[in-house]
């Protein structure tokens, strides 16, 4: 393990920026934390989570896929991809680091999404253990240990230092460039912080939430449950839950005509919208109940059925914090999961 004094953090950021584009979480004037490209002197946020997850770096909300130029009957296809720069995302929490494994199951399965793949190959994830988890956190429900998050480099922040533990070849390659601003040590502080995190997690309101009642091959058990009607009754279909979720992967592709030709772009979409999956013959999910059910069945049943039991939720708690009518996956699990989650 290596460590760096918090006083030398800007020097460390500067060193990383010499070989890669660096993004760190920073506080906005409204108190919310978002990722920004690092510039000299920028202060890293102490917030537990950013408003939106690190998913944005690998699966952007809007991206141009290609462009077309037409001249008579001739069509020129222009490859606009620029996902070739090395970049580092610093300060990713355990839930968000795990979410990339969920997205990998989707975008790296055949046929591979080359846009996502290029970004994954060039991106380095520097994750942080959660020393101050929130009351809305329930990552442990899905087997995530916030004291030992996934990532190319795992960090532990103390009152005076950041301790780095490189886990992958990409992580080790980055740490090898930081010898001038780091030194050996930190093992004792890491073990102490791990124990402290586990003690805090045992006191959280959602510590007993279980996913055992859900999982692969449970479609018949849950699809026609009568509780879906009451659960979905107040849902306004705004899609907020899908847009803050680090694992949602629905998107739409459209062509946009410009003065210079046609631009094809991809943008996030939401299964909560009435026009999602809309076709010439109509919509396959005509009611809000059906759309509501689709979202949570996908997280808890469909995805694990098709992905070796892996759930498509990481317990980040963003949907709990952001839903305008206070409906979220926790309430769904407690209602449908019965006594296991009471």
């Amino acid at each position: 393990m290596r460590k760096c004094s918090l006083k030398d953090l800007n020097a460390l950021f500067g060193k990383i920026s010499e070989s890669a584009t660096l993004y760190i979480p920073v506080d906005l004037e409204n108190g919310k934390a978002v990722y920004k490209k690092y510039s000299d002197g920028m202060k890293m946020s102490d917030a537990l989570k950013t408003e939106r997850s690190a998913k944005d770096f690998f699966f952007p909300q809007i991206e141009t896929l290609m462009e077309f130029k037409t001249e008579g009957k001739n069509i020129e296809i222009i490859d606009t991809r620029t996902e070739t720069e090395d970049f580092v995302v610093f300060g990713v929490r355990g839930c968000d680091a795990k979410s990339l494994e969920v997205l990998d199951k989707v975008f790296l399965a055949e046929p591979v999404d080359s846009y996502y793949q290029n970004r994954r190959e060039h991106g380095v994830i520097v994750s942080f253990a959660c020393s101050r988890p929130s009351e809305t956190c329930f990552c442990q429900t899905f087997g995530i240990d916030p004291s030992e998050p996934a990532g190319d480099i795992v960090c532990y922040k103390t009152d005076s230092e950041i301790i780095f533990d490189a886990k992958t070849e990409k992580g080790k390659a980055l740490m090898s460039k930081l010898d001038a601003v780091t030194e050996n040590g930190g093992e004792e502080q890491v073990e102490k912080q791990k124990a402290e995190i586990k003690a805090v997690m045992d006191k959280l309101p959602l510590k007993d939430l279980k996913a055992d009642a859900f999982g692969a091959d449970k479609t018949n058990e849950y699809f026609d449950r009568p509780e879906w009607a009451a659960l979905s009754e107040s849902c306004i279909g705004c899609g907020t839950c899908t847009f803050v979720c680090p694992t949602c992967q629905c998107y739409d592709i459209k062509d946009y005509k410009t003065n210079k030709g046609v631009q094809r772009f991809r943008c996030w979409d939401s299964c909560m919208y009435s026009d999602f999956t809309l076709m010439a013959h109509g919509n396959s999910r005509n009611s809000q109940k059906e759309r509501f059910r689709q979202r949570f069945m996908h997280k808890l049943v469909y995805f694990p059925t098709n992905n070796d039991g892996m759930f498509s939720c990481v317990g980040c708690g963003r949907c709990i914090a952001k839903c305008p009518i206070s409906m979220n996956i926790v309430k769904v699990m407690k209602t449908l999961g019965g006594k296991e989650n009471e």
Side-chain angles (χ1 to χ4, degrees):
M1 291 185 180
R2 304 282 291 179
K3 60 182 182 179
C4 171
S5 169
L6 292 179
K7 296 178 181 178
D8 299 325
L9 199 53
N10 278 324
L12 181 132
F13 288 159
K15 195 68 178 176
I16 294 174
S17 299
E18 290 178 3
S19 58
T21 303
L22 172 64
Y23 298 92
I24 67 171
V26 298
D27 292 323
L28 300 179
E29 291 183 0
N30 60 11
K32 297 178 180 179
V34 298
Y35 285 107
K36 293 285 189 181
K37 182 178 178 181
Y38 175 76
S39 59
D40 186 40
M42 186 179 287
K43 183 180 179 182
M44 184 175 69
S45 171
D46 287 325
L48 173 66
K49 288 189 291 282
T50 49
E51 285 294 292
R52 295 209 322 219
S53 73
K55 176 179 77 172
D56 293 36
F57 293 103
F58 303 95
F59 175 40
Q61 185 170 357
I62 300 175
E63 64 179 323
T64 300
L65 299 179
M66 61 188 72
E67 293 179 353
F68 305 92
K69 285 188 177 180
T70 59
E71 187 173 338
K73 295 183 179 180
N74 297 319
I75 301 176
E76 179 186 0
I77 301 176
I78 303 170
D79 189 341
T80 59
R81 282 177 289 190
T82 59
E83 303 85 13
T84 55
E85 69 169 7
D86 293 327
F87 65 95
V88 176
V89 187
F90 201 89
V92 178
R93 297 298 181 178
C95 51
D96 289 346
K98 179 66 176 180
S99 73
L100 296 177
E101 295 180 27
V102 176
L103 297 176
D104 286 350
K105 291 281 189 179
V106 177
F107 293 114
L108 298 184
E110 293 294 338
V112 172
D113 186 306
S114 59
Y115 298 86
Y116 178 89
Q117 182 185 46
N118 286 343
R119 293 187 177 100
R120 283 293 270 151
E121 290 175 350
H122 287 280
V124 177
I125 296 296
V126 180
S127 62
F128 267 52
C130 296
S131 57
R132 294 179 291 103
S134 166
E135 290 186 354
T136 58
C137 293
F138 56 105
C139 63
Q140 289 185 119
T141 300
F142 300 103
I144 300 168
D145 185 347
S147 70
E148 294 189 41
D152 296 301
I153 300 173
V154 177
C155 296
Y156 298 84
K157 186 179 179 183
T158 69
D159 292 337
S160 59
E161 298 173 322
I162 292 181
I163 302 159
F164 302 85
D165 186 6
K167 298 291 188 180
T168 68
E169 291 304 314
K170 284 197 293 186
K172 292 173 183 177
L174 177 59
M175 286 307 303
S176 68
K177 301 174 183 178
L178 305 178
D179 286 346
V181 289
T182 62
E183 60 183 25
N184 289 323
E187 288 82 359
E188 290 184 8
Q189 295 99 310
V190 166
E191 291 306 313
K192 179 183 177 183
Q193 188 170 119
K194 285 181 180 180
E196 292 173 347
I197 292 172
K198 292 180 187 298
V200 173
M201 294 300 292
D202 286 340
K203 297 178 182 179
L204 294 182
L206 299 176
K207 67 181 179 65
D208 293 324
L209 182 68
K210 306 295 183 185
D212 300 351
F214 305 94
D217 303 320
K218 296 288 184 73
T219 299
N220 290 339
E221 183 175 341
Y222 288 107
F223 191 83
D224 290 323
R225 287 281 291 268
E227 292 93 335
W228 289 117
L231 284 168
S232 63
E233 189 173 18
S234 59
C235 178
I236 59 176
C238 66
T240 297
C241 55
T242 59
F243 276 70
V244 298
C245 178
T247 65
C248 278
Q249 64 267 173
C250 292
Y251 62 83
D252 193 10
I253 295 177
K254 292 187 176 182
D255 289 346
Y256 178 74
K257 188 174 182 180
T258 70
N259 292 331
K260 298 180 180 179
V262 177
Q263 184 180 79
R264 177 166 294 174
F265 67 93
R266 169 163 68 181
C267 59
W268 292 356
D269 206 343
S270 173
C271 60
M272 302 294 272
Y273 293 160
S274 59
D275 60 354
F276 186 72
T277 69
L278 183 64
M279 304 178 201
H281 76 280
N283 197 320
S284 56
R285 303 186 193 106
N286 291 307
S287 68
Q288 194 59 40
K289 184 190 84 169
E290 291 172 297
R291 295 188 285 271
F292 183 93
R293 178 179 60 193
Q294 162 63 26
R295 168 169 166 75
F296 295 107
M297 284 288 285
H298 182 263
K299 298 289 183 189
L300 300 170
V301 178
Y302 302 155
F303 196 88
T305 297
N306 296 316
N307 293 280
D308 304 316
M310 177 186 284
F311 289 98
S312 183
C313 177
V314 292
C316 70
R318 287 184 176 91
C319 61
I320 297 177
K322 298 298 182 181
C323 179
I325 52 94
S326 299
M327 177 50 68
N328 52 71
I329 196 168
V330 171
K331 289 187 177 181
V332 170
M333 292 175 69
K334 286 185 174 182
T335 300
L336 298 179
K339 292 182 179 180
E340 280 191 64
N341 290 321
E342 289 180 357

